[in-house]
Amino acid sequence: MKAGIVGLPNVGKSTLFNCLSNAKAQSANFPFCTIEPNIGVVNVPDPRIVKLEELVKPERVQMATVDIVDIAGLVRGASKGEGLGNQFLANIRETDAIIHVVRCFDNDNIVHVDTTVDPVRDKETIDIELQLKDFETLEKRLERVKKNARTGNKEAQKELDALMKVKEGLEAAISVRAVELTEKEREEYIKPLQFITDKPVLYVCNVDENSAVDGNAYVDALKEAVKNENAEVIVLAVGMEADITELETFEEREMFLEDLGLEEPGSSVLIRAAYKLLNQQTYFTAGVKEVRAWTINIGDTAPQAAGVIHTDFEKGFIRAEVIAYSDFASYGSEIKVKEAGKMRVEGKEYIVKDGDVMHFRFNV
């Protein structure tokens, strides 16, 4: 599962990517400095794994990760190939969620592709290009479905009804994710077409250092513009985040954040939000050899969770021994949790909860 960072040129995408992954994506003050998408495998900050490490004292620790893709800046006309648009749009299509970076700061030294700072206009520029590309995908599918529907094919007629709702939405500049559809319509007819604007989106307002805590008028304008999108908006001073990553010790970073009135780097908030955006959650295994965070989809069953470790665990699943993270943390060890009667035995139907500490019994 991958989240792609998108936005206009020079809004801070590559600088943000570098903060998140410590990769060496080129960051320069001109459009299209990122031509090939850069992929970073980023640890998901989680205080729970720090606590488990403290209690269990394992030989090694493995955190959950999320893949972040830095995609070159889109410009007006990208859907028609402007600014290497076709290549960039193809890169976005291959991701599972979108992190949309919007410039919300003034700086005469950093060129804006449209000369002035206007986050709402910039967001709409990106939206329109993505919607236009989706409209191309839609029209190709509509041609085929209309032919089948005319023959009296009832399934084709149902698909046509769903596609026409999407068509009306796109014509009104409404992204596919915001079009009102039944769950069946979305699952059966819309998801297979992989519309770009059907992907979940997270907005990142890139602000100056003075606006890192409370935001600014640009942030307020963007929040108002997206209030009906059911999308999270995060405020991040990307330049400041870059400065934080340059500090060598944990203590220096803590002091820097304290001076700014922040509890943790904004990049940590963003990584967790991206993880959630991808519909992912964590369960733990905790033993003296290893404490590890495992990534699963929200709603996965115990056998599916076991399968992330090894396919044999899922095939031969018998049961799962489950401890809630809060119980493990409060009692301090697996033995004490068992003594308190807080360990549960769950079967194949169990839906794993975020933070469960689990052992699997299986037989192949």
Side-chain angles (χ1 to χ4, degrees):
M1 299 286 281
K2 295 182 289 191
I5 301 175
V6 305
L8 293 178
N10 290 353
V11 297
K13 299 183 308 301
S14 294
T15 305
L16 174 60
F17 176 80
N18 290 340
C19 294
L20 298 179
S21 66
N22 293 324
K24 301 299 179 194
Q26 184 184 2
S27 179
N29 183 22
F30 57 89
F32 314 124
C33 68
T34 309
I35 303 302
E36 291 298 327
N38 295 275
I39 301 177
V41 181
V42 183
N43 285 332
V44 179
D46 193 334
R48 297 174 300 186
I49 203 164
V50 177
K51 181 67 174 176
L52 288 172
E53 180 185 13
E54 181 188 304
L55 294 172
V56 179
K57 297 178 176 55
E59 292 175 18
R60 59 182 179 270
V61 174
Q62 180 71 49
M63 299 177 76
T65 61
V66 60
D67 287 1
I68 304 291
V69 186
D70 179 26
I71 296 169
L74 283 173
V75 293
R76 191 173 285 110
S79 59
K80 302 300 179 189
E82 290 292 327
L84 306 178
N86 289 330
Q87 181 183 340
F88 299 162
L89 287 161
N91 292 335
I92 295 170
R93 194 181 296 283
E94 289 169 9
T95 65
D96 303 286
I98 295 171
I99 299 171
H100 187 161
V101 182
V102 186
R103 177 170 168 173
C104 293
F105 65 89
D106 293 307
N107 187 330
D108 293 339
N109 296 320
I110 299 178
V111 180
H112 191 292
V113 73
D114 283 332
T115 68
T116 58
V117 178
D118 184 340
V120 176
R121 177 204 61 208
D122 294 352
K123 170 214 174 287
E124 288 172 351
T125 295
I126 298 288
D127 282 353
I128 288 167
E129 295 306 322
L130 300 184
Q131 288 163 3
L132 285 169
K133 203 65 186 173
D134 278 350
F135 205 84
E136 286 181 25
T137 303
L138 176 73
E139 287 194 310
K140 286 175 188 172
R141 183 62 187 167
L142 269 174
E143 273 183 49
R144 191 179 308 165
V145 174
K146 280 179 178 176
K147 284 179 186 174
N148 290 337
R150 281 196 290 269
T151 67
N153 184 314
K154 289 184 179 178
E155 195 61 30
Q157 185 59 57
K158 288 177 186 176
E159 183 176 355
L160 180 61
D161 291 344
L163 293 178
M164 290 307 293
K165 290 179 187 177
V166 171
K167 184 172 187 287
E168 288 168 15
L170 289 173
E171 286 174 340
I174 296 170
S175 293
V176 177
R177 75 179 74 86
V179 173
E180 285 192 25
L181 295 157
T182 66
E183 193 174 327
K184 178 182 166 66
E185 286 174 330
R186 195 171 287 281
E187 283 296 322
E188 293 190 16
Y189 310 126
I190 306 307
K191 278 197 175 178
L193 296 177
Q194 293 183 297
F195 289 116
I196 298 172
T197 65
D198 195 30
K199 299 179 190 295
V201 65
L202 167 72
Y203 292 101
V204 177
C205 296
N206 184 10
V207 300
D208 57 86
E209 187 175 310
N210 295 329
S211 305
V213 177
D214 299 317
N216 56 30
Y218 291 135
V219 173
D220 295 340
L222 186 76
K223 284 183 175 178
E224 178 65 23
V226 305
K227 66 182 181 182
N228 296 324
E229 290 190 28
N230 192 30
E232 189 173 355
V233 178
I234 287 177
V235 177
L236 205 65
V238 175
M240 186 188 74
E241 295 289 328
D243 292 340
I244 292 172
T245 62
E246 294 296 319
L247 298 173
E248 291 189 9
T249 68
F250 177 76
E251 288 73 21
E252 284 178 311
R253 291 193 288 272
E254 287 289 289
M255 286 174 63
F256 190 101
L257 289 166
E258 195 175 317
D259 288 343
L260 293 164
L262 297 170
E263 291 183 7
E264 64 177 339
S267 54
S268 296
V269 178
L270 172 57
I271 293 165
R272 286 197 297 271
Y275 193 64
K276 184 179 174 186
L277 191 69
L278 290 164
N279 196 43
Q280 296 184 319
Q281 66 179 16
T282 301
Y283 78 87
F284 301 101
T285 50
V288 290
K289 288 281 185 189
E290 180 183 67
V291 164
R292 182 162 181 165
W294 299 89
T295 299
I296 58 171
N297 293 320
I298 294 170
D300 274 359
T301 61
Q304 288 171 318
V308 173
I309 299 175
H310 197 287
T311 52
D312 284 351
F313 281 33
E314 182 172 4
K315 288 175 188 170
F317 179 89
I318 299 171
R319 66 179 183 275
E321 295 170 355
V322 183
I323 302 170
Y325 167 77
S326 56
D327 288 334
F328 201 113
S330 61
Y331 287 98
S333 73
E334 187 177 314
I335 291 171
K336 288 180 180 176
V337 170
K338 284 181 178 176
E339 288 172 352
K342 293 290 184 178
M343 178 184 278
R344 308 188 314 275
V345 175
E346 301 286 359
K348 292 182 178 181
E349 305 301 317
Y350 177 67
I351 305 296
V352 179
K353 295 180 177 62
D354 186 53
D356 279 348
V357 182
M358 307 183 76
H359 285 301
F360 298 105
R361 301 298 176 193
F362 72 102
N363 182 35
V364 177

